[in-house]
Amino acid sequence: MSEMDPQTLAEECAKAMFARDRASQKLGMNIESVAPGKAVLTMTVTGDMIQGHGSCHGGYLFTLADSAFAFACNSYDRATVASGCSIDYMYGAKEGDRLTATAEEQARGGRTGVYDITLTNQDGRKVALFRGRSYEVRGTVRNSEETA
């Protein structure tokens, strides 16, 4: 049996993971693209996501960035979790905004990695910058029974 090419593997990992990811599904996230160490997800800000100052609650922005991070760092079919994350909010997102989270691997070695995620709105304005640190655990992404 020949080894799967990296792009196909990344796509299969994303498909398997998204099928189990009820949180991202419930928030209306879509995977626009995935590649080894990269992922682009989108989400539209709904009225239920608006906080008391009239903009999108930062927790939803963090969740979108965290999901993009997860799909990027799990694109090698090695079960990987976050070991730490930080976010800087740059600009408020409003109801109806279509947000894009672009995750890119910065470094990966041994069992750890570093990923930067940029959140932008439909006008290309930066909404937030997120950095995630990953750690590989046991198991694979496509066969979730192994990751227990």
Side-chain angles (χ1 to χ4, degrees), residues 26-106:
K26 181 72 174 172
L27 291 172
M29 292 182 199
N30 293 301
I31 300 171
E32 301 298 328
S33 66
V34 67
K38 298 179 180 181
V40 178
L41 272 66
T42 57
M43 178 182 80
T44 299
V45 177
T46 67
D48 291 337
M49 297 175 181
I50 301 301
Q51 42 85 323
H53 292 293
S55 61
C56 184
H57 190 288
Y60 290 106
L61 301 176
F62 187 99
T63 302
L64 174 59
D66 188 45
S67 290
F69 167 44
F71 285 100
C73 69
N74 280 279
S75 61
Y76 302 101
D77 202 24
R78 294 183 178 152
T80 305
V81 297
S83 64
C85 306
S86 64
I87 191 165
D88 293 300
Y89 301 105
M90 317 302 288
Y91 184 75
K94 304 293 184 197
E95 183 175 352
D97 280 356
R98 181 172 168 81
L99 304 177
T100 300
T102 303
E104 295 186 62
E105 182 179 277
Q106 301 302 310

Side-chain angles (χ1 to χ4, degrees), residues 74 77-81 111 135-141 143-148:
N74 280 279
D77 202 24
R78 294 183 178 152
T80 305
V81 297
R111 296 175 72 160
Y135 183 77
E136 286 183 17
V137 295
R138 280 185 231 139
T140 63
V141 175
N143 184 356
S144 64
E145 288 80 40
E146 292 181 18
T147 61

Side-chain angles (χ1 to χ4, degrees), residues 104-126:
E104 295 186 62
E105 182 179 277
Q106 301 302 310
R108 181 172 168 260
R111 296 175 72 160
T112 63
V114 176
Y115 294 76
D116 285 336
I117 297 82
T118 303
L119 265 65
T120 56
N121 67 13
Q122 65 279 356
D123 299 322
R125 185 157 191 180
K126 286 183 185 167

